[in-house]
Structures are given as C-alpha cells and as structure tokens.
Amino acid sequence: MSGDILNVTDLKKHFVIGQEGTIDRTPITVKAVDGVSFDLREGETFGLVGESGSGKSTVAYITVGMYQPTSGKMTYQGEDLFADPKGRSMEHKKEIQIVFQDPGSSLNPRQTINAILELPLRIHQPDKDTTQEVLRLLNMVDLPPEYMHKYPRMLSGGEKQIVAIARALATDPSLIILDEPTSALDVSVQGKVINLLIRLQQELNLSFLFITHDLS
Ligand code: ADP
Ligand code: MG
C-alpha cells in the first residue's frame, strides 16, 4: 500500500428507516452503500462517479466522520479511521476536509467570510495569527482581501464555493473530499473552480476524492 493515502475496503452503510411486522419487527433498511472498495494514492485524484442516489455522498460523509459505517474498513495512511468508537482524532479531523455540493447551504449566512474562515483556524491552528491566515487563504484562492468583511449572500455561487474551498484549506489538510463541487454552479464558472482545484492540488500536494455524476 505504499503511496496510498486512503484505502477503502468493502464499505457498507445501511440506514434503518422503519420496521416491518408487529411481532418479529424486521428492520427496513436502505442500502445506501453496499460494498465499496477503492484506493487513493497520495497527491492524486480518485474520481467516484455514479448516478444520483447511488451512495456517493454517503461515502463522502463516512470519510469525514459524519457517519459511522455499518461495516467495512477505511484507513488513512494505514490508520483505521473508525478505531475509536468515541469519534475521530483531532489529527484525522484536521487532515481530511470536505467541500459540499451546495455552497449556499454550507456557509453560515449570519457569519462574515472572516468568521467562516476563522473557525477552523481557531480549532486547528491556534498558534497562528487568524487575520493573517484568513488573508493568506483568500489570496491562495484568488479572492480579494476585502472579501473577509462580506457575507455569503453578497457572493456569487462560484465565489461561495471558492470560500468553501478556502475553509477546507484552513486546517492545512492532506485529503479533500469534493462532493460534486461544481454541480450547483453555472457552467461558465465550473471550469474556473476546476482550474483552481488543479492549481491548489499541485501547489499543496493535496489528494482529492472527486465525486461527480458527470463522467466528463
Ligand atoms: P448520491 O450522493 O449518490 O446521490 P446518497 O449517498 O445521498 O447518494 O444517497 C444514497 C441512498 O441512500 C439514497 O437512496 C438516499 O435516499 C439514501 N440515504 C442517504 N442518506 C440517508 C439517511 N440519512 N437515511 C436514510 N436513507 C438515506
Ligand atoms: Mg450526493
């Protein structure tokens, strides 16, 4: 497994959504993910492609620790991500970040971009000057420094997603899960966001799990 950052083996997530029968009470389950295996090499992109409802987001949420898998194995640099039943280590939380499909709902509308970017910095980079770091993050994603004072509603869809990308970078991660990061955006800005991701991957040696329903 030399060079792999993430190994996923026979991953399953079955949601119990109800019960059938009055005596035996058989659980009714949805097999959202049913035996997924893949390996992601460090510094590379693994594309997870499937139609809507095929379980892509569920894999994403398991990878960042929002869900516990029903069964299967997931290791980050050889370390079991679900070894501790109490939850994920700070180190793994820092190293694995996510960008959600809909930037409109993933950014808190009541917070400025500064506050949105400060939160992960305060938790994971407490020794650093947060204002300097916020400015560095905005610069890294090509947004003007004055954007720190704006609210999400003042930004275009593409700009909001770029802020979500900057927030993912705030912890200085190694692996970013991109769950259909351009699906909610106008075609005209999709290419801009993809080019930004390619540049960031090269500059920061990031590994990407890129989720999409669009093979192209
Ligand atoms: P995709 O991202 O590929 O569109 P999802 O992972 O969102 O797919 O969903 C896969 C399947 O699991 C769908 O049938 C969805 O309805 C179901 N599902 C997802 N999350 C839950 C949940 N929390 N409870 C019950 N069913 C769920
Ligand atoms: Mg999805």
Side-chain angles (χ1 to χ4, degrees), residues 36-63:
V36 169
S37 303
F38 63 89
D39 302 308
L40 168 56
R41 291 178 67 82
E42 190 161 9
E44 294 190 358
T45 298
F46 184 87
L48 188 59
V49 187
E51 62 195 39
S52 178
S54 60
K56 304 181 300 295
S57 290
T58 303
V59 172
Y61 302 158
I62 293 170
T63 310

Side-chain angles (χ1 to χ4, degrees), residues 56-57 101 179-180:
K56 304 181 300 295
S57 290
Q101 178 172 351
D179 187 5
E180 306 209 43

Side-chain angles (χ1 to χ4, degrees), residues 63-84:
T63 310
V64 288
M66 289 164 60
Y67 289 146
Q68 193 84 12
T70 303
S71 65
K73 210 170 163 198
M74 192 175 257
T75 61
Y76 172 82
Q77 292 185 335
E79 298 156 11
D80 182 356
L81 283 174
F82 294 96
D84 185 351

Side-chain angles (χ1 to χ4, degrees), residues 98-113:
I98 186 167
V99 175
F100 297 99
Q101 178 172 351
D102 179 10
S105 58
S106 76
L107 305 179
N108 185 339
R110 296 174 198 280
Q111 290 189 324
T112 60
I113 305 311

